[in-house]
Amino acid sequence: DGGITQSPKYLFRKEGQNVTLSCEQNLNHDAMYWYRQDPGQGLRLIYYSQIVNDFQKGDIAEGYSVSREKKESFPLTVTSAQKNPTAFYLCASRAETYNEQFFGPGTRLTVL
Amino acid sequence: ILNVEQSPQSLHVQEGDSTNFTCSFPSSNFYALHWYRWETAKSPEALFVMTLNGDEKKKGRISATLNTKEGYSYLYIKGSQPEDSATYLCAFIPDTGGFKTIFGAGTRLFVKA
């Protein structure tokens, strides 16, 4: 089945630790995205990548980093510099036709 | 700053009720508007991709309309069922280069049997 996988589903982090969220897709899409969702808010863009070895900051990139070494993979690192990392994180890839996005199941990150 | 507003924020209906939600978006630089359904514990899935002013799309009991000149889209559900309970997201795509999608906060629908 084609789709997007994210792992882990739940992640707990101590303050001061970096953690990496995994995102893999087998849809052969060039573009991939990371979003953050907080209660009562829309999805906010953290980073996006339009092609391998290239990525751009979104609206709330501070405290996050990404890499795009393979077309299939777009991991997100939440660094200790992110002041309020507790949130739900969604990864997506984008089809060429009218930018329809395909989402993974998400990772819920909690800072203890 | 491009902003997408959805109303209401949440909605409680009885099984069999018909309901509708609103998505407001900028009326300039329009490229496309998407509606997604996001069920609990699942990934958001596209319901409709709308691209032309006056578009009307239908999938079963769910339909959507689009007015790009005034910047709004309506999503209708006829005869709501408990399985329709989900968050409905709209997403505006401006014609400014392709990467950007601006999401609304969603309308959370609860359908009681």
Side-chain angles (χ1 to χ4, degrees), chain A residues 4 9 33 35 37 40-43 45 48 50 57-59 88 90 94 96-106, chain B residues 9 31-32 34 36 38 41-46 49-51 87 89 93-94 97-106:
Chain A
I4 300 185
K9 189 172 181 179
Y33 299 77
Y35 295 95
Q37 191 201 31
Q41 297 194 36
L43 299 176
L45 182 64
Y48 69 100
Q50 298 200 77
K57 292 181 179 180
D59 300 318
F88 187 72
L90 270 176
R94 189 194 79 202
E96 291 298 321
T97 309
Y98 293 113
N99 291 4
E100 180 180 351
Q101 296 200 17
F102 295 79
F103 292 88
Chain B
Q9 188 173 12
Y31 179 68
H34 300 163
Y36 292 87
W38 191 359
K42 294 186 178 179
S43 311
E45 290 186 345
V49 175
M50 310 187 78
T51 58
T87 296
L89 294 174
I93 297 93
F99 81 90
K100 192 91 172 177
T101 299
I102 298 110
F103 287 88

Side-chain angles (χ1 to χ4, degrees), chain B residues 4-113:
Chain B
V4 174
E5 303 277 350
Q6 289 189 248
S7 62
Q9 188 173 12
S10 66
L11 194 56
H12 293 252
V13 301
Q14 291 289 130
E15 182 176 358
D17 288 350
S18 292
T19 187
N20 65 84
F21 326 133
T22 303
C23 172
S24 300
F25 53 87
S27 57
S28 59
N29 302 114
F30 179 87
Y31 179 68
L33 186 97
H34 300 163
W35 281 99
Y36 292 87
R37 175 165 58 198
W38 191 359
E39 297 177 66
T40 302
K42 294 186 178 179
S43 311
E45 290 186 345
L47 274 174
F48 301 116
V49 175
M50 310 187 78
T51 58
L52 297 174
N53 185 42
D55 254 357
E56 292 188 21
K57 303 268 183 165
K58 188 174 182 181
K59 187 180 290 187
R61 294 177 291 98
I62 304 177
S63 59
T65 62
L66 178 68
N67 184 323
T68 61
K69 295 188 186 308
E70 295 183 39
Y72 65 84
S73 176
Y74 294 138
L75 187 79
Y76 301 91
I77 302 179
K78 184 178 178 181
S80 301
Q81 300 296 309
E83 58 265 30
D84 296 328
S85 298
T87 296
Y88 292 84
L89 294 174
C90 77
F92 169 73
I93 297 93
D95 65 351
T96 51
F99 81 90
K100 192 91 172 177
T101 299
I102 298 110
F103 287 88
T107 292
R108 184 76 171 93
L109 175 66
F110 301 88
V111 183
K112 187 176 179 182

